[in-house]
Amino acid sequence: MDAVTGEPPPEDSPSEDELLAAARAGNEDAFKALVGPYLRELHVHCYRMLGSVQDAEDVMQEVLLRAWRHMDAFEGRSSVRGWLYRIATNRCLTSRSRARTWPPLEQPQGPPLSNADDVEVVALEPYPDALLDLLDDRNDPSARYELRESVQLAFLATIQLLPARQRAVLLLRDVLGYSAAETGAFLEASVASVNSALQRARATLERHRASGRLHSGGPPPTRALQSTLIERFTAAWQAGDVNGLVTLLSHDALLTMPPYPMAYRGRPAIASFLATVPAGGDLTRITLVPTRANGQPALAAYGRDPSGTKASAYGIMVLTVDDDAIAEITGFTDPSLFALFGLPDHLPDVLEA
């Protein structure tokens, strides 16, 4: 069973109680129909917990295996959804991200450009919007907004700094809406300890909001505004116009490249980075293709070979738009991510200059 795209049962399917009874009796099809409606949201939950799509997929496979093996232990005193969230959350708490080999980053000559010492960069992966859209089939605009807010990269980067149990409590209580008692049951913890962990987690988030890294307020910028900024950003990039690029940034814009421990704050620092690091500063050697990740506009970057006849997957940039400017650029120099986004490893052999 695909842990990302499991389909809900058809409308004329048996009731949950009937499916539960059949699954307990060893009917695998009944088990798939029972858990199928929750797989997409569980996958997003594991991603929030771990910050990695690939690690979330690994954990989801384990969750399904454990749930299948322990069907007879489920007494039905909680919902199937809650039971699955309990398994998934606890598995995330004991999961260790698998080792990854990150490509070396070409460093510019001279002193380091990093000047955002207040930013702690954590290992993250972007989450394709195509997978969020599978989950986002509700008609409630506020629910769609809350979903997007809870997968924004700035939010995810912040909660990855929390101790794992605080992160779990915050997500279960404030994102998923479980009560303190339900959360305590999931984590085998007292209500008092859950409330204490939630208070500490919220305090950490508030400190980041006060610093400006987490944005709070009204609805996000419109798709039209985002599209306009992406078009202008891409045009300036393809022209090698660094000055044109930085005019699209807010004055205190931030550029990070998880998991590398570097951060560039402000237009001058980001301009210096763009003029020296990507393709040795020759931005025209990198072709950008629009995509979306984490409810945000994104660009897939393909690096051209010296002859200019072939472009290979290089990395993905996710842009955070605030008001009418780009407030943050998060770059992921991991070509293996392209498959998650349904993008090719290479662009056509002949490219226009």
Side-chain angles (χ1 to χ4, degrees):
M1 181 187 300
D2 191 321
V4 180
T5 60
E7 292 295 333
E11 293 182 1
D12 59 349
S13 63
S15 68
E16 186 170 283
D17 288 342
E18 291 172 326
L19 290 172
L20 181 58
R24 283 173 173 161
N27 186 318
E28 188 172 353
D29 289 337
F31 172 76
K32 292 179 179 179
L34 184 68
V35 302
Y38 310 112
L39 296 186
R40 295 170 184 165
E41 60 177 286
L42 282 167
H43 191 273
V44 175
H45 174 61
C46 292
Y47 169 69
R48 293 189 191 105
M49 283 288 297
L50 301 171
S52 163
V53 183
Q54 299 173 80
D55 289 341
E57 179 67 16
D58 288 346
V59 167
M60 279 299 300
Q61 298 300 335
E62 295 181 35
V63 169
L64 291 173
L65 183 60
R66 291 186 181 202
W68 172 244
R69 286 179 174 174
H70 298 285
M71 280 301 305
D72 57 343
F74 177 59
E75 300 176 352
R77 287 182 291 185
S78 63
S79 67
V80 171
R81 179 176 182 266
W83 179 57
L84 292 171
Y85 267 105
R86 177 174 185 163
I87 297 173
T89 301
N90 282 285
R91 184 64 194 92
C92 287
L93 289 173
T94 59
S95 175
R96 293 181 179 272
S97 293
R98 56 185 164 191
R100 302 185 187 91
T101 301
W102 296 92
L105 181 66
E106 181 182 354
Q107 292 280 13
Q109 297 297 319
L113 294 174
S114 179
N115 71 332
D117 296 332
D118 59 319
V119 177
E120 185 174 350
V121 180
V122 298
L124 282 176
E125 289 178 352
Y127 199 95
D129 265 26
L131 299 183
L132 290 177
D133 290 341
L134 291 174
L135 176 63
D136 191 11
D137 58 358
R138 296 160 295 182
N139 294 321
D140 182 358
S142 64
R144 292 196 297 271
Y145 175 62
E146 290 170 4
L147 171 64
R148 292 299 194 266
E149 285 290 286
S150 70
V151 294
Q152 290 278 310
L153 284 176
F155 174 77
L156 292 170
T158 301
I159 66 172
Q160 295 304 312
L161 299 174
L162 297 171
R165 287 182 70 85
Q166 284 188 32
R167 187 186 320 133
V169 168
L170 181 79
L171 291 174
L172 291 169
R173 294 283 284 113
D174 284 359
V175 174
L176 295 168
Y178 283 106
S179 68
E182 289 170 321
T183 301
F186 288 173
L187 302 177
E188 297 184 354
S190 68
V191 169
S193 67
V194 165
N195 288 335
S196 177
L198 181 60
Q199 184 177 17
R200 293 195 298 273
R202 285 174 174 172
T204 298
L205 260 64
E206 287 306 314
R207 287 196 297 272
H208 281 267
R209 285 195 179 93
S211 72
R213 182 76 193 276
L214 284 178
H215 303 284
S216 59
T222 65
R223 284 288 187 100
L225 173 59
Q226 293 179 13
S227 296
T228 298
L229 283 173
I230 285 289
E231 289 171 3
R232 294 174 62 193
F233 187 94
T234 301
W237 184 290
Q238 305 295 189
D241 182 6
V242 173
N243 289 332
L245 284 170
V246 297
T247 61
L248 302 175
L249 308 178
S250 61
H251 289 284
D252 61 346
L254 178 68
L255 185 151
T256 58
M257 300 181 67
Y260 300 110
M262 55 182 63
Y264 306 87
R265 173 82 73 183
R267 289 177 174 177
I270 295 175
S272 296
F273 175 86
L274 293 175
T276 53
V277 178
D282 184 2
L283 300 183
T284 63
R285 287 174 48 199
I286 299 176
T287 298
L288 302 181
V289 175
T291 184
R292 289 189 65 84
N294 298 80
Q296 302 170 231
L299 292 162
Y302 289 85
R304 298 192 190 190
D305 63 19
S307 69
T309 60
K310 186 177 182 180
S312 303
Y314 176 73
I316 292 177
M317 292 183 288
V318 183
L319 309 183
T320 300
V321 177
D322 188 24
D323 292 331
D324 58 352
I326 297 169
E328 192 163 341
I329 302 173
T330 309
F332 302 91
T333 56
D334 182 1
S336 70
L337 294 171
F338 282 56
L340 294 173
F341 285 78
L343 295 167
D345 292 334
H346 303 280
L347 292 182
D349 290 340
V350 180
L351 299 171
E352 295 181 1

